[in-house]
Amino acid sequence: VNRIVIKIGTSSLIHPSGKVNFSGIDQLAFVLTDLNNQGKEIILVSSGAIGVGMDKLRMTERPTTIPEQQAVAAVGQSELMHFYNQRFLAYNQQTAQVLMTRDIVDYPESRKNAINTLEQLLSMNIIPIINENDAVAVDELDHLTKFGDNDELSAIVSQMLDADLLIMLSDIDGFYSDNPNKNKEAILYSTISAITKETMAQAGESAGSKFGTGGMISKLKAAKRILDAQSAMVLANGKPPRIIFDILDGKEVGTLFK
Ligand code: ADP
């Protein structure tokens, strides 16, 4: 496994209190820098702009209107990059911010440009930190500029860069037979090789966390995209990000989609 896309969800970056999880961000920077130093090519897809923006602006409720959400995302995105830059620089690792909208990856010309930029960054040993350009992408129903969410974006980025593995870090240990927060009997799957209607039904109606969007359904859709491309994805618990070492060591953690 040489080229790895890591997607980190809001729940791994923001504490339930709404405060930024600095130890999580620091450990992520440490782990990703170490992997880069081992010669692996690392791409980070990070959510969290709205959560960080809410913390910075001392908001306790997620804003409801789209202009408000976009404004908070714009504040939070630069603040989030500030935290990443600080922590990665502590380990001597350069990073770069790349903000995407769906039209960029849908139009061949701009898609090629985005790929060229990302390839160039990787060849310069720089870790690209990708997010959707929330401040300008319109709403969830606008399929021209908007991705469904960062789960989908991370799968698209994996395809664009022909990555060997997508590691999706969430607040749950993997994919279960039912939502384990509601059903204590749910069992954790170690491997899933196809996404069927039955698989989708097991994700139920998961709206996702207070600060994030996704939910399990969007993770399964991303997994389907990865499986269709004959690649692999691991869904695991991002608390703590150190788990990435275990995944790459082949330890039995999370759910492998392959
Ligand atoms: P993130 O913010 O990290 O992207 P989400 O909150 O969007 O994570 O999605 C993870 C959540 O999906 C879990 O916390 C859980 O409540 C829910 N969920 C629903 N069905 C399942 C399932 N079958 N297996 C695991 N988690 C599930």
Side-chain angles (χ1 to χ4, degrees):
V1 184
N2 248 326
R3 182 171 283 194
I4 309 161
V5 175
I6 289 110
K7 187 261 169 178
I8 187 131
T10 301
S11 54
S12 309
L13 297 167
I14 310 284
H15 287 302
S17 68
K19 290 280 169 206
V20 177
N21 180 350
F22 287 110
S23 74
I25 294 179
D26 184 47
Q27 202 180 97
L28 187 65
F30 170 78
V31 171
L32 299 190
T33 299
D34 191 62
L35 294 174
N36 189 61
N37 290 349
Q38 291 175 31
K40 298 189 189 303
E41 295 176 315
I42 304 295
I43 302 100
L44 176 62
V45 175
S46 178
S47 302
I50 291 188
V52 171
M54 283 170 62
D55 185 25
K56 188 164 194 227
L57 299 173
R58 296 169 196 273
M59 300 171 94
T60 47
E61 291 303 315
R62 192 184 166 92
T64 47
T65 71
I66 287 163
E68 277 176 311
Q69 286 172 6
Q70 303 206 138
V72 175
V75 170
Q77 178 63 30
S78 68
E79 185 75 349
L80 179 62
M81 282 310 297
H82 170 68
F83 295 146
Y84 275 129
N85 283 339
Q86 268 189 336
R87 298 325 307 154
F88 274 100
L89 274 181
Y91 303 111
N92 247 333
Q93 175 65 53
Q94 300 295 333
T95 57
Q97 169 181 263
V98 180
L99 298 177
M100 301 269 221
T101 46
R102 183 180 274 282
D103 52 328
I104 290 177
V105 304
D106 281 350
Y107 293 103
E109 222 33 41
S110 49
R111 182 187 180 94
K112 187 80 200 109
N113 264 328
I115 293 174
N116 288 345
T117 306
L118 292 167
E119 290 284 359
Q120 182 66 37
L121 288 166
L122 293 175
S123 74
M124 293 165 76
N125 260 321
I126 298 168
I127 297 181
I129 302 181
I130 303 178
N131 192 9
E132 174 160 17
N133 196 347
D134 288 320
V136 297
V138 192
D139 64 39
E140 306 283 337
L141 300 173
D142 171 18
H143 299 298
L144 189 63
T145 57
K146 193 96 179 116
F147 298 102
D149 50 58
N150 271 351
D151 296 332
E152 184 182 16
L153 173 59
S154 66
I156 290 173
V157 166
S158 298
Q159 280 181 308
M160 284 169 72
L161 295 175
D162 203 13
D164 301 300
L165 181 66
L166 168 59
I167 297 179
M168 197 169 284
L169 298 178
S170 183
D171 63 346
I172 200 92
D173 290 339
F175 177 61
Y176 288 78
S177 55
D178 194 3
N179 186 345
N181 293 328
K182 290 183 182 154
N183 179 357
K184 294 282 165 247
E185 317 272 274
I187 52 152
L188 176 66
Y189 292 116
S190 60
T191 311
I192 295 276
S193 51
I195 310 292
T196 61
K197 266 190 193 149
E198 289 70 36
T199 324
M200 287 307 254
Q202 290 176 323
E205 292 164 41
S206 52
S209 54
K210 182 178 168 196
F211 302 98
T213 41
M216 193 47 58
I217 287 176
S218 76
K219 286 167 183 55
L220 292 182
K221 284 187 188 158
K224 185 169 188 318
R225 203 180 257 278
I226 294 290
L227 287 172
D228 288 347
Q230 315 286 320
S231 191
M233 172 178 131
V234 173
L235 173 66
N237 199 325
K239 270 181 226 156
R242 215 188 301 116
I243 198 167
I244 296 169
F245 285 139
D246 295 338
I247 294 167
L248 296 174
D249 283 346
K251 295 202 179 121
E252 278 249 342
V253 286
T255 303
L256 171 66
F257 295 86
K258 196 189 161 114

